Amino acid sequence: MTLSQEDRAAVEAAARQIRIDTVRMVHAAACGHPGGPIGMADFMATLFLRHMNLSPETLHQPDRDRFVLGNGHTCAGYYSILSQKGLIPRDELLTFRKMGSRLQGHPHRSPDMGIDFSTGSLGNSLSVSLGMALAAKSNGWDTRVYSASSDGESQEGQIWEAATAAAHYGASNLTVLVDFNNVQIDGHMRDVMDVRDLREKYEAFGWHALDVDGHDIDAIDAALVAAREETKRPSALICHTLIGKGVSFMEDQPGWHGVAPGDEDARKALTELGIEGAELAAMMA
Ligand SMILES: Cc1ncc(C[n+]2csc(CCOP(=O)(O)OP(=O)(O)O)c2C)c(N)n1
């Protein structure tokens, strides 16, 4: 099923806002990771707008949905979508990575912002997510646990211990969305340490696993619906993305994994994202 035009437009607008916020936050901090969150924007927006039961109203309900950002370095985009959901004040975003800010360079568990786990050390996110999923099941809750991961994080052995356990325990309320952009800190993933076909791997571990175009909002939404409908196995959505998608000079460039754009690149990026004139001038002031 495809989204209505109105629903798709809302997700597209949220994804664009993630990209704009990420450029501004990393530029203002003069450090951070722009490429990953810009590439993940489409699936993060689809997930948080259409599937995650997380809002200021549900924030403190124990049985609400949970999210763990395994590739914690991509948190600029996470903070953006949380702010769009009303969980972080918009004017706090530009404190990103500054001394005393709640918005650290890797997410710090924070019940008031809906950040369910501290991440940044790659590898433990799926184990933590599985624990949350099993706890929810044993409480009889309808909670879904969403775990973001990446091709780089899939090189960590603990991911596969968690994958084994999740299938064994039938954690059907657990969905991992893997940002498969073929890029990591030291270059293209296939040159550094090829994780090969992750859909086949998750399937071999007993998961319900799908390849998804990570920039096709309808396809992402349909895959999340399929994950929700799966009643026996955990689901893995292998989201094929381009790092830096939407900012031409960042696309598929490992150099933009963890480097802040300077003034000129930030201006270029924001222009490509449709910001111009007085708005651009104000953002760059
Ligand atoms: C346990 C651990 N080892 C090493 C690192 C350093 N590190 C930070 S990001 C990264 C690469 C992650 O790859 P990926 O998430 O695919 O990166 P992206 O797509 O954002 O470029 C590494 C090795 C880390 N954060 N944690």
Side-chain angles (χ1 to χ4, degrees), residues 10 21 24 26 39 55 67 76 79 82 100 108 115 150 156 187-188 191 202 236 239 246 250-251 267 285:
D21 288 343
R24 294 189 68 200
V26 179
S55 65
F67 177 80
Y79 298 146
L82 288 176
H108 181 78
I115 295 179
S150 60
E156 301 282 350
H188 282 97
D191 302 327
Y202 272 101
C239 300
M250 289 189 186
E251 289 185 359
R267 192 173 291 112

Side-chain angles (χ1 to χ4, degrees), residues 117-159:
F117 197 68
S118 303
T119 51
S121 185
L122 299 165
N124 53 24
S125 62
L126 200 55
S127 304
V128 169
S129 303
L130 172 60
M132 292 178 181
L134 295 180
K137 272 202 184 234
S138 76
N139 284 334
W141 294 342
D142 213 13
T143 310
R144 293 207 60 86
V145 180
Y146 294 100
S147 199
S149 187
S150 60
D151 42 21
E153 195 183 24
S154 305
Q155 294 164 344
E156 301 282 350
Q158 191 180 333
I159 290 288

Side-chain angles (χ1 to χ4, degrees), residues 20-81:
I20 292 168
D21 288 343
T22 298
V23 170
R24 294 189 68 200
M25 291 162 73
V26 179
H27 169 249
C31 59
H33 301 80
I38 291 174
M40 293 161 70
D42 297 309
F43 74 73
M44 288 290 278
T46 312
L47 174 66
F48 275 81
L49 253 66
R50 294 193 44 81
H51 294 271
M52 274 284 293
N53 163 22
L54 172 66
S55 65
E57 293 71 43
T58 63
L59 181 62
H60 295 297
Q61 289 174 8
D63 61 346
R64 68 162 169 79
D65 292 345
R66 306 279 150 174
F67 177 80
V68 177
L69 184 72
N71 44 350
H73 60 280
T74 66
C75 57
Y78 183 27
Y79 298 146
S80 168
I81 197 68

Side-chain angles (χ1 to χ4, degrees), residues 98-274:
K98 302 261 166 72
M99 290 294 283
S101 172
R102 295 192 301 167
L103 309 184
Q104 301 192 14
H106 295 78
H108 181 78
R109 182 176 174 276
S110 169
D112 289 339
M113 293 192 285
I115 295 179
D116 296 319
F117 197 68
S118 303
T119 51
S121 185
L122 299 165
N124 53 24
S125 62
L126 200 55
S127 304
V128 169
S129 303
L130 172 60
M132 292 178 181
L134 295 180
K137 272 202 184 234
S138 76
N139 284 334
W141 294 342
D142 213 13
T143 310
R144 293 207 60 86
V145 180
Y146 294 100
S147 199
S149 187
S150 60
D151 42 21
E153 195 183 24
S154 305
Q155 294 164 344
E156 301 282 350
Q158 191 180 333
I159 290 288
W160 302 103
E161 294 179 45
T164 305
H168 177 79
Y169 290 112
S172 57
N173 56 343
L174 171 64
T175 298
V176 61
L177 296 97
V178 181
D179 179 41
F180 201 143
N181 61 13
N182 188 32
V183 167
Q184 58 181 105
I185 196 166
D186 284 331
H188 282 97
M189 180 270 307
R190 287 194 188 97
D191 302 327
V192 179
M193 172 86 70
D194 195 349
V195 298
R196 305 177 75 116
D197 189 324
L198 287 181
R199 184 192 54 75
E200 281 185 358
K201 279 194 174 169
Y202 272 101
E203 223 163 61
F205 275 73
W207 286 52
H208 166 229
L210 302 170
D211 282 309
V212 186
D213 176 343
H215 300 303
D216 179 337
I217 286 165
D218 285 296
I220 299 161
D221 191 67
L224 286 163
V225 170
R228 184 181 291 274
E229 286 170 355
E230 166 65 42
T231 56
K232 295 204 163 50
R233 299 168 294 174
S235 293
L237 310 185
I238 313 304
C239 300
H240 297 271
T241 61
L242 256 188
I243 192 166
K245 168 79 176 176
V247 176
S248 61
F249 59 90
M250 289 189 186
E251 289 185 359
D252 197 34
Q253 296 299 319
W256 287 106
H257 161 91
V259 171
D263 290 349
E264 200 181 318
D265 282 333
R267 192 173 291 112
K268 243 164 79 180
L270 291 170
T271 304
E272 286 192 20
L273 294 167

